[in-house]
């Protein structure tokens, strides 16, 4: 049977079998303890206690797992998911390769925590060059990288890492599983923030780990159960509800990003434009082959912090906010959060506004700034 399209998969992912009189997506189950069988105890039911067990969470995990093509465990945030993966896999004496241009809190965690417990941390730019993978336990790729939008060649790097005995993890936050499927490209495990484009409504925090490896899944599950970094039932229900529209949202965001990228490319007062969907972008040769769709995030430089502020003040549709992937177009001057970026560097996340309105608004705001 031909695989369903992205829209169909997103709408139906993780839903229980239809049953007359029941909703499409059951409401959230709020419980810390559950009734147990007096004789068999927790062996009689999948629900024993709320930290390891929750049916609403399991439905969401089934949905995300279907989209990523593996088994999934969700966490309270993307940072909880990625730090949980790193601490579940790495041991003192191990070496881990992390993106030098990736999500800043992950790099901060690596230097503050991983190195303090004896893990050797090596930072490598997403676009390379990469060192030998000999003696490396884990290679983490973030592609497209946040916030610079470089792209890593996942199949090539996974093959080289596996030949040296290393595991490969891919942070799929920016792309989402509709943009690329790292497990099919050769990665051992996917980690991501579901806070952003996957759920897309700017109203919850969520992270997840997905893998086809029973050993890795068991390690991550045990870590989450022990440390307790689980999302609440209502957040899981909100996330699952939001998945149904991810295909529609991403399609509009990508179209808007393309329109804005073409606008920005023609302006002499904007420098450093990056969007992997532009044929002139350095990441385009890999992204155009590897990715199923380009995300709705554009980065560029307006020269200095004051001009960024003037641009945001002048815009009627672009809000100043961190995070990305939501319904509303937002822009974030990343240097204010500690990223190693120029003072005027902007990460702009396209929302689902009408493209013509967004282009006109950004044009006017740039002119006014």
């Amino acid at each position: 049977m031909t695989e369903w399209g992205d829209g169909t998969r997103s709408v139906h992912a993780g839903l229980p079998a239809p049953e007359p009189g029941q909703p499409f997506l059951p409401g959230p189950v709020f419980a810390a303890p559950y009734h147990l069988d007096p004789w068999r105890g927790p062996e009689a039911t999948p629900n024993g206690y709320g930290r390891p067990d929750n049916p609403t969470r399991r439905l969401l995990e089934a949905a995300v797992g279907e989209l990523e093509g593996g088994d999934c465990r969700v966490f309270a945030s993307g940072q909880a998911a990625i730090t949980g993966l790193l601490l579940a896999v790495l041991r003192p004496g191990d070496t881990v390769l992390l993106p030098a241009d990736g999500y800043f809190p992950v790099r901060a965690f690596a230097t503050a925590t991983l190195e303090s417990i004896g893990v050797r941390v090596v930072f490598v730019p997403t676009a390379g060059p990469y060192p030998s993978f000999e003696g490396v336990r884990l290679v983490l790729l973030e592609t497209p990288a946040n916030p610079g939008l470089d792209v890593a060649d996942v199949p090539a790097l996974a093959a080289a890492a596996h030949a040296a005995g290393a595991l490969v993890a891919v942070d799929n936050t920016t792309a989402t599983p509709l943009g690329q499927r790292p497990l099919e490209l050769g990665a051992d495990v996917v980690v991501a923030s579901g806070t952003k484009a996957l759920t897309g409504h700017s109203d919850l925090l969520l992270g997840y780990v997905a893998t086809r490896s029973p050993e890795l899944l068991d390690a991550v599950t045990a870590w989450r159960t022990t440390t307790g970094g689980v999302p609440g039932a209502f957040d899981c229900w909100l996330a699952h509800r939001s998945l149904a529209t991810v295909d529609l949202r991403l399609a509009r965001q990508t179209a808007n990003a393309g329109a804005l990228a073409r606008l920005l490319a023609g302006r002499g007062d904007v420098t450093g434009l990056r969007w992997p969907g532009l044929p002139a972008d350095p990441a385009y040769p890999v992204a155009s082959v590897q990715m199923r769709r380009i995300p709705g995030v554009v980065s560029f430089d307006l020269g200095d912090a004051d001009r960024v502020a003037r641009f945001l003040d002048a815009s009627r549709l672009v809000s100043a906010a961190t995070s990305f992937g939501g319904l509303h177009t937002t822009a974030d001057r990343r240097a204010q959060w500690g990223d190693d970026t120029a003072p005027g560097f902007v990460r702009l996340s396209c929302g689902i506004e009408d493209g013509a309105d967004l282009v006109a608004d950004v044009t006017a705001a740039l002119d006014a700034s």
Side-chain angles (χ1 to χ4, degrees), residues 287-309:
S288 60
V289 173
Q290 177 173 285
M291 300 188 68
R292 303 172 66 243
R293 66 177 83 191
I294 307 298
V297 180
V298 180
S299 66
F300 52 92
D301 199 312
L302 293 183
D304 57 62
D306 286 348
R307 187 174 183 223
V308 175

Side-chain angles (χ1 to χ4, degrees), residues 68-368:
E68 285 285 6
D71 292 312
C72 173
R73 294 293 179 266
V74 294
F75 284 75
S77 68
Q79 187 72 354
I82 197 165
T83 56
L85 171 67
L86 293 171
L87 290 171
V89 169
L90 298 171
R91 298 292 180 267
D94 285 346
T95 296
V96 60
L97 266 59
L98 299 179
D101 50 347
Y103 188 47
F104 175 74
V106 175
R107 287 181 279 140
F109 170 80
T111 54
T113 301
L114 293 182
E115 290 184 340
S116 72
I117 62 173
V119 175
R120 178 173 173 258
V121 178
V122 178
F123 293 109
V124 183
T126 295
Y130 283 80
S132 168
F133 295 132
E134 292 298 328
V136 173
R137 170 63 173 156
L138 177 68
V139 178
L140 173 64
L141 308 173
E142 182 180 310
T143 179
N146 169 32
L149 301 179
D150 270 328
V151 172
D153 187 333
V154 176
L157 291 170
H162 291 156
L167 294 171
V168 176
V170 172
D171 185 330
N172 207 27
T173 300
T174 307
T176 81
L178 270 61
Q180 68 187 5
R181 298 177 187 169
L183 298 179
E184 294 181 2
L185 296 172
D188 300 288
V189 59
V190 171
V191 63
S193 169
T195 305
K196 300 177 174 66
L198 185 71
T199 60
H201 286 73
S202 306
D203 56 6
L204 60 88
L205 296 175
L206 189 80
Y208 67 87
V209 174
T211 182
R212 295 173 178 175
S213 163
E215 294 79 15
L216 285 173
L217 186 70
D218 287 347
V220 168
T221 303
W223 176 266
R224 189 188 66 177
T225 298
T226 302
T227 59
V230 296
F234 189 62
D235 280 357
C236 289
W237 182 85
L238 281 176
H240 199 164
R241 176 215 59 176
S242 300
L243 285 182
T245 61
V246 64
D247 175 58
L248 299 174
R249 291 185 281 104
L250 293 181
R252 175 61 69 84
Q253 289 167 345
T254 296
N256 282 348
L260 281 187
R262 290 187 290 272
L263 164 70
L264 296 170
R267 292 190 64 108
D269 58 347
V270 175
T271 62
L273 173 64
R274 294 299 307 273
W275 188 60
L278 286 176
D281 191 275
Y284 180 82
V286 175
S288 60
V289 173
Q290 177 173 285
M291 300 188 68
R292 303 172 66 243
R293 66 177 83 191
I294 307 298
V297 180
V298 180
S299 66
F300 52 92
D301 199 312
L302 293 183
D304 57 62
D306 286 348
R307 187 174 183 223
V308 175
R310 292 195 300 270
F311 164 72
L312 291 169
D313 270 344
S315 173
R316 299 173 61 192
L317 296 180
V318 183
S319 299
T322 193
S323 196
F324 58 90
L327 303 175
H328 311 90
T329 297
T330 61
D332 193 9
R333 193 176 69 81
R334 290 305 301 167
Q336 67 188 333
W337 300 101
D339 274 3
D340 184 20
T341 55
F345 176 92
V346 175
R347 180 187 66 195
L348 190 145
S349 170
C350 294
I352 63 168
E353 297 91 350
D354 286 296
D357 294 338
L358 191 57
V359 168
D361 178 77
V362 169
T363 300
L366 288 172
D367 290 344

